[in-house]
Amino acid sequence: MTYTALIAGGGIAGTAVAIALRKAGIDAVVHEAYDTTADNVGAFLTLAVNALDALQAIDLDMGEVGFDTPRITITSGSGRRLGELPYGTGAPGGLVSRTVKRADLYRFLREQAVSRGVRIEYGKRLVDATSTGGGVAARFADGSVAEADLLIGADGLRSRTREIIDPAAPGARYAGLLNTGGYARGVPAAGESGMMHAIFGKRCFFAYIVHPDGEVWWAANPAQAAELTPAEVAAITSEEWRTRLSELFRRDHGPALDIIAATDEIFAGWNTYDVPTVPLWHRDRMIIIGDAAHATAPSIGQGAAMAIEDAVVLAKCLRDGPDPESAFTAYERARRERVERVVEQGNRTGGWKALSPLARVPRDVIMSLGMRHLARTGNDPSRWIYEHRLDWDEPAWSASHR
Ligand SMILES: Cc1cc2nc3c(=O)[nH]c(=O)nc-3n(C[C@H](O)[C@H](O)[C@H](O)COP(=O)(O)OP(=O)(O)OC[C@H]3O[C@@H](n4cnc5c(N)ncnc54)[C@H](O)[C@@H]3O)c2cc1C
């Protein structure tokens, strides 16, 4: 069947689902709250192989955007190498995980959407939506109204669509960690490009990767028990971060201190959240996808991947289902178990970063044993995340009813 869709949110899930719907023959208009297209300038993320597989299903190839990240190494703050493994085992067709600046990824997806005929309207913050007999009427903060057969809420962690579908829906859960990072130049000790280095330091987690041009992209996750307000986080200056991080990594081995010293501007930072279980993903002709439905802590590097997978699966269900309500039910059946398992794993990984100094000793031992087991058996416990495959041509209907 064919419909018209109104998408709230022009981030990763919103643009990906618009592209997927277009491929399925469904017209979609993206309504993005912000006026500009410069999103979260500064941060970067890694698209694991399952994200690239999902992009491939809708004919998207990252091309020159970002750079390959084939391996990850894990060390402790004392400098002990806990293990090294592929960044995503079981990759199909030679896919290699890719690290990309967030702003470049958003730009890439929006350009691809527009080149496929998707309309993106900026300055359109969804404030309310109501079911009309056979569709949805959405109201925006600028007073305008738009109607379509479907409303897809891809409006992220603080989703308004989630609240419209279910005013009692749970919100974001604070994970006890801050996020910051930056870009450094001239740090030869950082090593070769392509390896993601994860360092479980004595007092703080640190990760870095070297771009092929030599720039070091890094992130740190200081534990922060009491949640700060967004204004408090935004007020932390680059110099305050430098002082604080230099103290946190003072007793660790590895290049963290050199990298921090060689960074001109350290990001103001973000709180870390997830959204574990939202009981209602859809009501009438409205549905939520991506972070709006199941945000995962950044620790597991899968939030964008899950958003892209969602987009492909939802478009396939709408393409093949007899009506939107049945398509939404099939979509939820196909997605809920996987995404909630990923959120749970992200929460556990994040918890490992926020441990007290005493608890870090057994953590390192457990990680080391786990890595040795992995090296011996090749049995990566995250394999089920990475080797997920999406085939555009496989009928969603029969797949969802298997
Ligand atoms: C520090 C950090 C590191 C991360 N690292 C990784 C990683 O390595 N790998 C990975 O896969 N994931 C990573 N993630 C997670 C990933 O960024 C998110 O899961 C992903 O952005 C979710 O996409 P989304 O489209 O659902 O939400 P978003 O990308 O947040 O997009 C939501 C969009 O909706 C818009 N919007 C909000 N409200 C409204 C409204 N009312 N009306 C209209 N528009 C609205 C917003 O402006 C935004 O453009 C990381 C996240 C963080 C914070």
Side-chain angles (χ1 to χ4, degrees), residues 10 49 76 79 93 123 146 151 170 184 186 188 225 304 313 354 368 375 383:
V49 287
S76 70
L151 167 63
V313 176
S368 174
R383 199 181 179 97

Side-chain angles (χ1 to χ4, degrees), residues 66-70 96-99 193-195 209-210 212:
F67 61 97
D68 284 350
T69 310
V96 175
S97 298
R98 221 164 159 78
T99 301
S193 174
M195 175 75 84
I209 181 161
V210 182

Side-chain angles (χ1 to χ4, degrees), residues 57-363:
I58 48 172
D59 312 317
L60 291 177
D61 176 345
M62 298 285 292
E64 298 298 305
V65 185
F67 61 97
D68 284 350
T69 310
R71 297 192 70 74
I72 178 164
T73 175
I74 302 177
T75 52
S76 70
S78 61
R80 192 149 69 98
R81 199 177 171 81
L82 302 175
E84 183 188 320
L85 63 156
Y87 199 126
T89 40
L95 287 176
V96 175
S97 298
R98 221 164 159 78
T99 301
V100 59
K101 285 193 180 164
R102 183 182 288 269
D104 291 342
L105 176 61
Y106 280 42
R107 194 175 311 116
F108 167 76
L109 288 171
R110 285 177 183 169
E111 282 170 6
Q112 293 294 324
V114 170
S115 74
R116 285 163 167 78
V118 172
R119 202 166 88 229
I120 304 181
E121 296 199 3
Y122 294 96
K124 295 284 179 188
R125 176 173 293 279
L126 178 78
V127 289
D128 208 356
T130 45
S131 296
T132 59
V136 182
R139 196 163 54 77
F140 300 94
D142 64 0
S144 60
V145 174
E147 291 196 24
D149 297 326
L150 316 171
L151 167 63
I152 300 174
D155 44 357
L157 191 70
R158 309 271 173 205
S159 171
R160 175 66 189 131
T161 317
R162 185 172 65 218
E163 294 170 346
I164 294 168
I165 290 175
D166 178 10
R173 174 174 73 174
Y174 177 59
L177 291 170
L178 288 172
N179 251 287
T180 185
Y183 301 96
R185 286 219 165 260
V187 192
E192 297 291 303
S193 174
M195 175 75 84
M196 178 66 77
H197 298 260
I199 303 171
F200 283 84
K202 294 192 174 91
R203 297 166 67 200
C204 185
F205 176 82
F206 189 82
Y208 74 92
I209 181 161
V210 182
H211 187 278
D213 74 3
E215 190 173 58
V216 182
W217 298 14
W218 64 273
N221 292 145
Q224 171 67 46
E227 181 180 355
L228 302 179
T229 65
E232 284 169 333
V233 181
I236 306 174
T237 66
S238 180
E239 284 320 304
E240 281 166 359
W241 271 125
R242 198 184 310 280
T243 308
R244 184 165 167 190
L245 294 174
S246 302
E247 175 56 25
L248 284 173
F249 294 114
R250 192 166 52 86
R251 288 198 239 121
D252 282 350
H253 288 250
L257 288 180
D258 291 344
I259 292 172
I260 291 163
T263 304
D264 289 339
E265 190 65 33
I266 299 176
F267 307 148
W270 310 266
N271 283 319
T272 301
Y273 299 98
D274 67 7
V275 178
T277 301
V278 177
L280 266 187
W281 279 5
H282 53 93
R283 177 171 63 77
D284 303 333
R285 295 285 185 95
M286 309 177 209
I287 190 164
I288 43 175
I289 63 169
D291 274 10
H294 49 71
T296 172
S299 310
I300 193 173
Q302 279 289 329
M306 291 302 114
I308 299 165
E309 289 182 8
D310 283 357
V312 178
V313 176
L314 179 60
K316 285 182 55 173
C317 289
L318 286 165
R319 177 194 67 187
D320 298 343
D323 55 73
E325 290 81 357
S326 317
F328 288 173
T329 303
Y331 164 80
E332 181 169 354
R333 196 179 307 131
R335 293 299 293 159
R336 191 179 273 280
E337 187 186 337
R338 174 169 170 80
V339 296
E340 291 187 352
R341 220 175 137 196
V342 167
V343 173
E344 177 48 34
Q345 191 153 320
N347 181 40
R348 272 202 308 275
T349 313
W352 281 39
K353 294 178 177 176
L355 293 177
S356 68
L358 266 185
R360 284 182 180 146
V361 177
R363 173 198 69 192

